[in-house]
Amino acid sequence: MKFARIIYAIAAIYGIFVLTPLYFLINRVNIDTPPAVTHPEFYYGFAGIALLWQFVFIFIARDPVRYRPIMVLTFLAKIVYTLPVMILYTRGEVHASTLHLSLVDPVFGILFVAAYLKTPRRVSA
């Protein structure tokens, strides 16, 4: 249970730290990783949903046993970004820096699986 608390807390802190600046960096993204964002609603929608998940991680970190069923969704959430980025990279549609940043997610995904397996279904009396 302590393992899950630590992993999910670290993931949440990391995610908040990495995702929050996206709200202020769209112009920098347009310059550094062309082509420019043509649908900002998708860009901000991604940032918002990804940021929202960090708060789910905080809930899990506070009470892993209670929120254990949600852990299944969290490790699936960690592949829904990396997998498309890997495919797009092989097709030459995203920059290597995007691929490298996306590889943090499967590391957390593996740790989330380990946390799930180590967390009891319920606390014994």
Side-chain angles (χ1 to χ4, degrees), residues 3 6 9 17 19 23 36 38 43 49 66 75 91 94 101-102 104 108 112-114 116:
F3 178 74
I6 293 168
F17 179 75
L19 293 165
Y23 284 102
T38 58
Y43 174 88
I49 290 172
R66 180 178 182 189
F75 47 82
R91 294 171 48 182
V94 296
L101 289 172
S102 78
V104 173
F108 277 118
F112 288 175
V113 170
Y116 176 81

PDB file of all heavy atoms in Angstrom, residues 3 6 9 17 19 23 36 38 43 49 66 75 91 94 101-102 104 108 112-114 116:
ATOM      1  N   PHE A   3       3.845   1.476  -1.253  1.00  0.00           N
ATOM      2  CA  PHE A   3       4.429   1.544  -2.596  1.00  0.00           C
ATOM      3  C   PHE A   3       3.481   2.281  -3.544  1.00  0.00           C
ATOM      4  O   PHE A   3       3.893   3.185  -4.272  1.00  0.00           O
ATOM      5  CB  PHE A   3       4.725   0.132  -3.111  1.00  0.00           C
ATOM      6  CG  PHE A   3       5.290   0.095  -4.502  1.00  0.00           C
ATOM      7  CD1 PHE A   3       6.596   0.471  -4.736  1.00  0.00           C
ATOM      8  CD2 PHE A   3       4.513  -0.324  -5.570  1.00  0.00           C
ATOM      9  CE1 PHE A   3       7.133   0.430  -6.022  1.00  0.00           C
ATOM     10  CE2 PHE A   3       5.030  -0.365  -6.861  1.00  0.00           C
ATOM     11  CZ  PHE A   3       6.336   0.013  -7.083  1.00  0.00           C
ATOM     12  N   ILE A   6       3.337   6.059  -2.861  1.00  0.00           N
ATOM     13  CA  ILE A   6       4.531   6.766  -3.336  1.00  0.00           C
ATOM     14  C   ILE A   6       4.510   6.906  -4.852  1.00  0.00           C
ATOM     15  O   ILE A   6       4.735   7.991  -5.393  1.00  0.00           O
ATOM     16  CB  ILE A   6       5.815   6.057  -2.848  1.00  0.00           C
ATOM     17  CG1 ILE A   6       5.933   6.187  -1.327  1.00  0.00           C
ATOM     18  CG2 ILE A   6       7.046   6.602  -3.554  1.00  0.00           C
ATOM     19  CD1 ILE A   6       6.994   5.296  -0.714  1.00  0.00           C
ATOM     20  N   ALA A   9       1.754   9.309  -6.044  1.00  0.00           N
ATOM     21  CA  ALA A   9       2.076  10.684  -5.659  1.00  0.00           C
ATOM     22  C   ALA A   9       3.165  11.254  -6.568  1.00  0.00           C
ATOM     23  O   ALA A   9       3.060  12.400  -7.045  1.00  0.00           O
ATOM     24  CB  ALA A   9       2.506  10.748  -4.199  1.00  0.00           C
ATOM     25  N   PHE A  17       3.628  19.046 -12.908  1.00  0.00           N
ATOM     26  CA  PHE A  17       4.803  19.852 -13.246  1.00  0.00           C
ATOM     27  C   PHE A  17       5.004  19.949 -14.766  1.00  0.00           C
ATOM     28  O   PHE A  17       5.342  21.006 -15.296  1.00  0.00           O
ATOM     29  CB  PHE A  17       6.043  19.246 -12.581  1.00  0.00           C
ATOM     30  CG  PHE A  17       7.321  19.969 -12.873  1.00  0.00           C
ATOM     31  CD1 PHE A  17       7.607  21.181 -12.261  1.00  0.00           C
ATOM     32  CD2 PHE A  17       8.246  19.442 -13.763  1.00  0.00           C
ATOM     33  CE1 PHE A  17       8.795  21.859 -12.533  1.00  0.00           C
ATOM     34  CE2 PHE A  17       9.430  20.101 -14.037  1.00  0.00           C
ATOM     35  CZ  PHE A  17       9.705  21.314 -13.424  1.00  0.00           C
ATOM     36  N   LEU A  19       2.621  19.129 -17.263  1.00  0.00           N
ATOM     37  CA  LEU A  19       1.448  19.486 -18.057  1.00  0.00           C
ATOM     38  C   LEU A  19       0.969  20.927 -17.875  1.00  0.00           C
ATOM     39  O   LEU A  19       0.494  21.536 -18.839  1.00  0.00           O
ATOM     40  CB  LEU A  19       0.299  18.527 -17.743  1.00  0.00           C
ATOM     41  CG  LEU A  19       0.544  17.086 -18.184  1.00  0.00           C
ATOM     42  CD1 LEU A  19      -0.457  16.150 -17.525  1.00  0.00           C
ATOM     43  CD2 LEU A  19       0.487  16.977 -19.699  1.00  0.00           C
ATOM     44  N   TYR A  23      -0.394  25.091 -20.933  1.00  0.00           N
ATOM     45  CA  TYR A  23      -1.398  26.148 -21.092  1.00  0.00           C
ATOM     46  C   TYR A  23      -0.780  27.478 -21.522  1.00  0.00           C
ATOM     47  O   TYR A  23      -1.465  28.337 -22.057  1.00  0.00           O
ATOM     48  CB  TYR A  23      -2.177  26.349 -19.786  1.00  0.00           C
ATOM     49  CG  TYR A  23      -3.193  25.268 -19.540  1.00  0.00           C
ATOM     50  CD1 TYR A  23      -2.936  24.243 -18.640  1.00  0.00           C
ATOM     51  CD2 TYR A  23      -4.412  25.270 -20.217  1.00  0.00           C
ATOM     52  CE1 TYR A  23      -3.871  23.249 -18.411  1.00  0.00           C
ATOM     53  CE2 TYR A  23      -5.350  24.279 -19.994  1.00  0.00           C
ATOM     54  CZ  TYR A  23      -5.076  23.277 -19.094  1.00  0.00           C
ATOM     55  OH  TYR A  23      -5.997  22.291 -18.880  1.00  0.00           O
ATOM     56  N   ALA A  36       2.396  24.095 -37.004  1.00  0.00           N
ATOM     57  CA  ALA A  36       1.736  24.799 -35.905  1.00  0.00           C
ATOM     58  C   ALA A  36       0.416  24.123 -35.546  1.00  0.00           C
ATOM     59  O   ALA A  36      -0.205  23.454 -36.369  1.00  0.00           O
ATOM     60  CB  ALA A  36       1.476  26.246 -36.307  1.00  0.00           C
ATOM     61  N   THR A  38      -3.186  23.743 -35.314  1.00  0.00           N
ATOM     62  CA  THR A  38      -4.266  24.349 -36.101  1.00  0.00           C
ATOM     63  C   THR A  38      -5.617  24.242 -35.406  1.00  0.00           C
ATOM     64  O   THR A  38      -6.568  24.906 -35.816  1.00  0.00           O
ATOM     65  CB  THR A  38      -4.367  23.688 -37.487  1.00  0.00           C
ATOM     66  OG1 THR A  38      -4.582  22.284 -37.313  1.00  0.00           O
ATOM     67  CG2 THR A  38      -3.108  23.935 -38.297  1.00  0.00           C
ATOM     68  N   TYR A  43      -5.586  20.790 -28.592  1.00  0.00           N
ATOM     69  CA  TYR A  43      -4.373  20.979 -27.786  1.00  0.00           C
ATOM     70  C   TYR A  43      -4.734  21.214 -26.329  1.00  0.00           C
ATOM     71  O   TYR A  43      -4.250  20.536 -25.428  1.00  0.00           O
ATOM     72  CB  TYR A  43      -3.575  22.168 -28.351  1.00  0.00           C
ATOM     73  CG  TYR A  43      -2.377  22.569 -27.529  1.00  0.00           C
ATOM     74  CD1 TYR A  43      -1.139  21.977 -27.737  1.00  0.00           C
ATOM     75  CD2 TYR A  43      -2.479  23.551 -26.548  1.00  0.00           C
ATOM     76  CE1 TYR A  43      -0.027  22.353 -26.996  1.00  0.00           C
ATOM     77  CE2 TYR A  43      -1.376  23.931 -25.793  1.00  0.00           C
ATOM     78  CZ  TYR A  43      -0.152  23.331 -26.029  1.00  0.00           C
ATOM     79  OH  TYR A  43       0.942  23.697 -25.282  1.00  0.00           O
ATOM     80  N   ILE A  49      -7.423  17.233 -20.040  1.00  0.00           N
ATOM     81  CA  ILE A  49      -7.746  15.854 -19.649  1.00  0.00           C
ATOM     82  C   ILE A  49      -6.534  15.191 -19.006  1.00  0.00           C
ATOM     83  O   ILE A  49      -6.660  14.496 -17.995  1.00  0.00           O
ATOM     84  CB  ILE A  49      -8.265  15.053 -20.852  1.00  0.00           C
ATOM     85  CG1 ILE A  49      -9.648  15.573 -21.235  1.00  0.00           C
ATOM     86  CG2 ILE A  49      -8.318  13.564 -20.539  1.00  0.00           C
ATOM     87  CD1 ILE A  49     -10.200  15.019 -22.512  1.00  0.00           C
ATOM     88  N   ARG A  66      -8.942   1.742  -1.415  1.00  0.00           N
ATOM     89  CA  ARG A  66     -10.277   2.200  -1.818  1.00  0.00           C
ATOM     90  C   ARG A  66     -10.372   2.395  -3.331  1.00  0.00           C
ATOM     91  O   ARG A  66     -11.387   2.074  -3.953  1.00  0.00           O
ATOM     92  CB  ARG A  66     -10.616   3.498  -1.104  1.00  0.00           C
ATOM     93  CG  ARG A  66     -11.972   4.050  -1.465  1.00  0.00           C
ATOM     94  CD  ARG A  66     -12.264   5.305  -0.695  1.00  0.00           C
ATOM     95  NE  ARG A  66     -13.583   5.812  -1.018  1.00  0.00           N
ATOM     96  CZ  ARG A  66     -14.031   6.970  -0.621  1.00  0.00           C
ATOM     97  NH1 ARG A  66     -13.290   7.751   0.142  1.00  0.00           N
ATOM     98  NH2 ARG A  66     -15.231   7.374  -0.950  1.00  0.00           N
ATOM     99  N   PHE A  75      -3.167   2.455 -15.688  1.00  0.00           N
ATOM    100  CA  PHE A  75      -2.089   1.955 -16.533  1.00  0.00           C
ATOM    101  C   PHE A  75      -2.506   1.891 -17.986  1.00  0.00           C
ATOM    102  O   PHE A  75      -1.671   1.988 -18.874  1.00  0.00           O
ATOM    103  CB  PHE A  75      -1.424   0.665 -16.031  1.00  0.00           C
ATOM    104  CG  PHE A  75      -2.269  -0.471 -15.588  1.00  0.00           C
ATOM    105  CD1 PHE A  75      -2.809  -1.346 -16.496  1.00  0.00           C
ATOM    106  CD2 PHE A  75      -2.466  -0.699 -14.227  1.00  0.00           C
ATOM    107  CE1 PHE A  75      -3.546  -2.424 -16.076  1.00  0.00           C
ATOM    108  CE2 PHE A  75      -3.221  -1.768 -13.802  1.00  0.00           C
ATOM    109  CZ  PHE A  75      -3.763  -2.627 -14.711  1.00  0.00           C
ATOM    110  N   ARG A  91       6.463   6.806 -38.647  1.00  0.00           N
ATOM    111  CA  ARG A  91       5.983   7.342 -39.924  1.00  0.00           C
ATOM    112  C   ARG A  91       6.595   8.705 -40.233  1.00  0.00           C
ATOM    113  O   ARG A  91       6.287   9.307 -41.254  1.00  0.00           O
ATOM    114  CB  ARG A  91       4.464   7.439 -39.898  1.00  0.00           C
ATOM    115  CG  ARG A  91       3.799   6.076 -39.814  1.00  0.00           C
ATOM    116  CD  ARG A  91       2.316   6.125 -39.571  1.00  0.00           C
ATOM    117  NE  ARG A  91       1.621   7.063 -40.457  1.00  0.00           N
ATOM    118  CZ  ARG A  91       0.335   7.304 -40.396  1.00  0.00           C
ATOM    119  NH1 ARG A  91      -0.406   6.693 -39.492  1.00  0.00           N
ATOM    120  NH2 ARG A  91      -0.229   8.162 -41.212  1.00  0.00           N
ATOM    121  N   VAL A  94       6.239  12.821 -36.087  1.00  0.00           N
ATOM    122  CA  VAL A  94       6.565  13.564 -34.862  1.00  0.00           C
ATOM    123  C   VAL A  94       8.074  13.559 -34.678  1.00  0.00           C
ATOM    124  O   VAL A  94       8.777  12.659 -35.133  1.00  0.00           O
ATOM    125  CB  VAL A  94       5.876  13.007 -33.583  1.00  0.00           C
ATOM    126  CG1 VAL A  94       4.374  13.126 -33.662  1.00  0.00           C
ATOM    127  CG2 VAL A  94       6.297  11.598 -33.286  1.00  0.00           C
ATOM    128  N   LEU A 101       9.981  12.197 -24.735  1.00  0.00           N
ATOM    129  CA  LEU A 101       9.131  12.630 -23.624  1.00  0.00           C
ATOM    130  C   LEU A 101       7.993  11.655 -23.361  1.00  0.00           C
ATOM    131  O   LEU A 101       7.588  11.447 -22.225  1.00  0.00           O
ATOM    132  CB  LEU A 101       8.572  14.026 -23.896  1.00  0.00           C
ATOM    133  CG  LEU A 101       9.566  15.174 -23.819  1.00  0.00           C
ATOM    134  CD1 LEU A 101       8.922  16.469 -24.303  1.00  0.00           C
ATOM    135  CD2 LEU A 101      10.081  15.339 -22.400  1.00  0.00           C
ATOM    136  N   SER A 102       7.488  11.028 -24.417  1.00  0.00           N
ATOM    137  CA  SER A 102       6.369  10.101 -24.253  1.00  0.00           C
ATOM    138  C   SER A 102       6.786   8.802 -23.571  1.00  0.00           C
ATOM    139  O   SER A 102       5.931   8.079 -23.049  1.00  0.00           O
ATOM    140  CB  SER A 102       5.721   9.788 -25.601  1.00  0.00           C
ATOM    141  OG  SER A 102       6.485   8.847 -26.334  1.00  0.00           O
ATOM    142  N   VAL A 104       8.241   8.345 -20.835  1.00  0.00           N
ATOM    143  CA  VAL A 104       8.076   8.377 -19.380  1.00  0.00           C
ATOM    144  C   VAL A 104       6.777   7.667 -18.999  1.00  0.00           C
ATOM    145  O   VAL A 104       6.719   6.965 -17.981  1.00  0.00           O
ATOM    146  CB  VAL A 104       8.082   9.829 -18.856  1.00  0.00           C
ATOM    147  CG1 VAL A 104       7.741   9.883 -17.382  1.00  0.00           C
ATOM    148  CG2 VAL A 104       9.425  10.484 -19.131  1.00  0.00           C
ATOM    149  N   PHE A 108       5.825   4.777 -15.910  1.00  0.00           N
ATOM    150  CA  PHE A 108       4.811   4.903 -14.871  1.00  0.00           C
ATOM    151  C   PHE A 108       3.757   3.807 -15.019  1.00  0.00           C
ATOM    152  O   PHE A 108       3.253   3.286 -14.027  1.00  0.00           O
ATOM    153  CB  PHE A 108       4.159   6.284 -14.889  1.00  0.00           C
ATOM    154  CG  PHE A 108       4.941   7.331 -14.153  1.00  0.00           C
ATOM    155  CD1 PHE A 108       5.433   8.442 -14.808  1.00  0.00           C
ATOM    156  CD2 PHE A 108       5.190   7.211 -12.796  1.00  0.00           C
ATOM    157  CE1 PHE A 108       6.158   9.414 -14.135  1.00  0.00           C
ATOM    158  CE2 PHE A 108       5.925   8.167 -12.104  1.00  0.00           C
ATOM    159  CZ  PHE A 108       6.400   9.269 -12.776  1.00  0.00           C
ATOM    160  N   PHE A 112       2.575   1.397 -12.183  1.00  0.00           N
ATOM    161  CA  PHE A 112       1.172   1.324 -11.786  1.00  0.00           C
ATOM    162  C   PHE A 112       0.698  -0.124 -11.728  1.00  0.00           C
ATOM    163  O   PHE A 112      -0.069  -0.498 -10.834  1.00  0.00           O
ATOM    164  CB  PHE A 112       0.293   2.119 -12.754  1.00  0.00           C
ATOM    165  CG  PHE A 112       0.414   3.609 -12.648  1.00  0.00           C
ATOM    166  CD1 PHE A 112      -0.250   4.424 -13.549  1.00  0.00           C
ATOM    167  CD2 PHE A 112       1.183   4.230 -11.667  1.00  0.00           C
ATOM    168  CE1 PHE A 112      -0.177   5.806 -13.480  1.00  0.00           C
ATOM    169  CE2 PHE A 112       1.274   5.613 -11.577  1.00  0.00           C
ATOM    170  CZ  PHE A 112       0.592   6.398 -12.493  1.00  0.00           C
ATOM    171  N   VAL A 113       1.142  -0.949 -12.667  1.00  0.00           N
ATOM    172  CA  VAL A 113       0.790  -2.381 -12.628  1.00  0.00           C
ATOM    173  C   VAL A 113       1.354  -3.006 -11.358  1.00  0.00           C
ATOM    174  O   VAL A 113       0.660  -3.750 -10.649  1.00  0.00           O
ATOM    175  CB  VAL A 113       1.308  -3.127 -13.883  1.00  0.00           C
ATOM    176  CG1 VAL A 113       1.162  -4.628 -13.726  1.00  0.00           C
ATOM    177  CG2 VAL A 113       0.569  -2.648 -15.132  1.00  0.00           C
ATOM    178  N   ALA A 114       2.608  -2.702 -11.050  1.00  0.00           N
ATOM    179  CA  ALA A 114       3.229  -3.236  -9.829  1.00  0.00           C
ATOM    180  C   ALA A 114       2.473  -2.761  -8.587  1.00  0.00           C
ATOM    181  O   ALA A 114       2.228  -3.546  -7.664  1.00  0.00           O
ATOM    182  CB  ALA A 114       4.698  -2.813  -9.755  1.00  0.00           C
ATOM    183  N   TYR A 116      -0.668  -1.905  -8.402  1.00  0.00           N
ATOM    184  CA  TYR A 116      -1.948  -2.617  -8.393  1.00  0.00           C
ATOM    185  C   TYR A 116      -1.782  -4.015  -7.797  1.00  0.00           C
ATOM    186  O   TYR A 116      -2.565  -4.439  -6.949  1.00  0.00           O
ATOM    187  CB  TYR A 116      -2.499  -2.696  -9.816  1.00  0.00           C
ATOM    188  CG  TYR A 116      -3.767  -3.492  -9.940  1.00  0.00           C
ATOM    189  CD1 TYR A 116      -4.995  -2.919  -9.629  1.00  0.00           C
ATOM    190  CD2 TYR A 116      -3.754  -4.814 -10.380  1.00  0.00           C
ATOM    191  CE1 TYR A 116      -6.169  -3.641  -9.752  1.00  0.00           C
ATOM    192  CE2 TYR A 116      -4.918  -5.540 -10.505  1.00  0.00           C
ATOM    193  CZ  TYR A 116      -6.127  -4.959 -10.186  1.00  0.00           C
ATOM    194  OH  TYR A 116      -7.293  -5.685 -10.295  1.00  0.00           O
TER     195      TYR A 116
END
